[in-house]
Amino acid sequence: MERWKRSFEMKLPIESVGFVLAAAYALSCWAARQVSMDQFHLPAGLRVAALLMFPMRLWPYLILGEYAYFAHMRFPMIDKYGLAWTILSSAFLMPAVALILHWHRRLMDARTDAWFISAAMTSAVVVTLLNLGFSHLLWPVPHRNDFLTDATRGALGQFIGILTLAPLALLWTRRKSGWEWNRRYAAATAGAATVIVGLGLLTLLVPASAPSLKITLQLLVALPAIALTCMHGWRGAAIAVPLVNMVIGLTSRGSEPWSFDSSTFVAQQILMIAGVALLTLGYSISHYYHHYTSGRKRELVTAAHARASHFAGEMDLRRRVLEMRKMGDGIDHSLSEIAYYLRDNGHPDMAHSLLQVSVANSRRFREHTSLVYPTALEHVGLYLSVQLSGLGEHWRSSRRVLSPRMVGDPCGMSTGLQLAAYRVMAEAVSVLLEHEEDRIKVHARCGQIGDMRGIFVVVSLIDPQRHIAEGTMGITIERLTGRTLPYGGTVQCRRNRVRILLVESSEVEEPPLK
């Protein structure tokens, strides 16, 4: 109860708060009844809304509040309808609805939102049958209409009242369920709500001699309601359906709480079915959107972990290459000292030969270590690294790879993305060199669109009439897909070319190089 005390800024014992709640509920029911009709029964919606908003330990106070409301409303009716009907017909309505909602509690806790339609329909039917059953059994005066007519009007009025207030209560209880407001829809949402209210105001201005125009305007409010549902799922329906029902109910022509407007009743039946359809559609939209977003989040987390794993592996290779180059520098230094010693001791030819062998082996050693990890990429970027490292030399020595054409500035991409592009280019060319006989050309283009940046690589055979073999395509996709997935990329093999796309968000933080 401490949460409710802080919310209402009350320092009262729990019993006092309960009696205050009972009084507030009774007063709200009385106010709702003043603007209600038999075909638009707001107290029914207030009953379900209160049971949804408050925990079960406060339900007895809500029952007490409804008893107080019935006592005030039906006490003057004792002389006409009898004491037995006044007491019995007032005693079972709230407990029956509370029991129905309690049966649906398990579905409510499981977040299976379809339970609400079932609970609303069951509550409307049960309350109507209780009302009519007690009245037919205990009233000393005859009814104006037959049982079926009263049951139809009563059930529809109860159900419309529930659809008017209960979705708002459900929306309030789910206010912290992780819904993210999309600012793109802010203006459209406000506009749709304004159109609904505006059509309601126009309906009030329609003269009584034009009932068809009134019904048309009442039915048009369904269009912005559909827009709200499509934009926000069940939350949009929880706002739109009450607005529509409130507009239709308040624009009905009825001067007394028990009055009936036949011209509006048709539109209410149509919009009631539309309201159920909108809520069901909203639940489906929200359900699949939740599954999509949760699946998308899992994919993003998985891709982030894969990128971190790949980058960690690259950093491990980087450390090994640096250690190997330190060892190579030590060997070069030792060989240089030996060559200088031989030259100083009268062996210039042997010293010269040793220096030539040392320089050639050192160059080849560095080319091979650059294939393990291209350290030049950190300083000059992907494109120059490909051309100046051992990878470019390997392509030139094969005499089958043309000079690559590369467009854009790769230095704007993260090191991890450049390393992934380096690996997929090397792997794609290697597969085609191994399994195809034609010469190969490499094209690359990098850039940024919106908040996404990336690189598009095409490795193709020169002859456009030649097609890459099916087996080669399978090997290429198998080897490259694992490197592209962490960066949201794709690998496609079409005709004579392999197309590779790697992308990343511009908000990706660059891991430190160690």
Side-chain angles (χ1 to χ4, degrees), residues 111-265:
R111 295 297 188 266
T112 305
D113 295 321
W115 69 268
F116 174 72
I117 302 297
S118 172
M121 290 182 175
T122 307
S123 299
V125 171
V126 169
V127 170
T128 301
L129 292 179
L130 286 175
N131 280 329
L132 291 179
F134 283 119
S135 64
H136 277 268
L137 288 174
L138 302 175
W139 272 13
V141 296
H143 288 73
R144 297 180 181 179
N145 304 311
D146 60 279
F147 183 87
L148 184 59
T149 300
D150 288 339
T152 303
R153 291 180 181 178
L156 290 178
Q158 294 272 336
F159 187 63
I160 290 173
I162 294 173
L163 290 186
T164 303
L165 296 180
L168 299 176
L170 187 61
L171 186 63
W172 172 259
T173 60
R174 301 283 183 85
R175 66 190 183 279
K176 297 182 179 179
S177 60
W179 179 47
E180 298 180 359
W181 173 259
N182 195 332
R183 293 183 178 179
R184 293 185 304 169
Y185 297 145
T189 302
T194 303
V195 170
I196 293 175
V197 176
L199 289 174
L201 295 176
L202 288 177
T203 305
L204 291 174
L205 302 177
V206 176
S209 59
S212 59
L213 177 59
K214 174 186 173 181
I215 294 177
T216 301
L217 291 176
Q218 289 175 334
L219 293 178
L220 284 178
V221 299
L223 297 179
I226 294 173
L228 283 175
T229 303
C230 293
M231 285 189 290
H232 302 296
W234 79 266
R235 289 179 172 84
I239 296 173
V241 173
L243 273 177
V244 170
N245 289 333
M246 189 68 70
V247 166
I248 302 302
L250 295 181
T251 56
S252 302
R253 291 185 173 87
S255 57
E256 300 293 342
W258 55 84
S259 59
F260 180 78
D261 182 10
S262 58
S263 64
T264 305
F265 192 56

Side-chain angles (χ1 to χ4, degrees), residues 47-65:
R47 180 186 298 124
V48 175
L51 292 173
L52 288 175
M53 290 181 62
F54 293 95
M56 291 183 63
R57 64 177 180 272
L58 294 179
W59 286 7
Y61 297 104
L62 295 176
I63 296 175
L64 179 63

Side-chain angles (χ1 to χ4, degrees), residues 302-378:
T302 302
H305 291 169
R307 286 197 301 271
S309 176
H310 279 248
F311 194 78
E314 293 289 352
M315 292 301 99
D316 184 60
L317 293 176
R318 180 177 182 270
R319 286 191 295 270
R320 294 184 182 184
V321 166
L322 293 178
E323 291 176 0
M324 292 170 63
R325 288 193 174 179
K326 287 182 180 179
M327 294 174 59
D329 292 340
I331 294 174
D332 291 343
H333 180 70
S334 299
L335 291 176
S336 297
E337 289 185 346
I338 294 174
Y340 293 146
Y341 177 81
L342 291 175
R343 186 189 61 186
D344 294 340
N345 286 274
H347 303 282
D349 295 335
M350 187 178 296
H352 180 69
S353 176
L354 182 60
L355 285 176
Q356 285 184 330
V357 172
S358 174
V359 170
N361 288 335
S362 177
R363 185 178 68 254
R364 295 187 61 188
F365 177 77
R366 291 182 180 276
E367 289 176 357
H368 282 78
T369 54
S370 67
L371 293 175
V372 177
Y373 180 85
T375 54
L377 182 144
E378 302 169 7

Side-chain angles (χ1 to χ4, degrees), residues 388-411:
L388 301 178
S389 65
L391 181 62
E393 181 62 28
H394 174 66
W395 289 354
R396 286 189 291 271
S397 63
S398 69
R399 300 183 181 277
R400 290 179 51 198
V401 182
L402 302 184
S403 179
R405 291 178 53 192
M406 302 179 180
V407 181
D409 183 13
C411 296

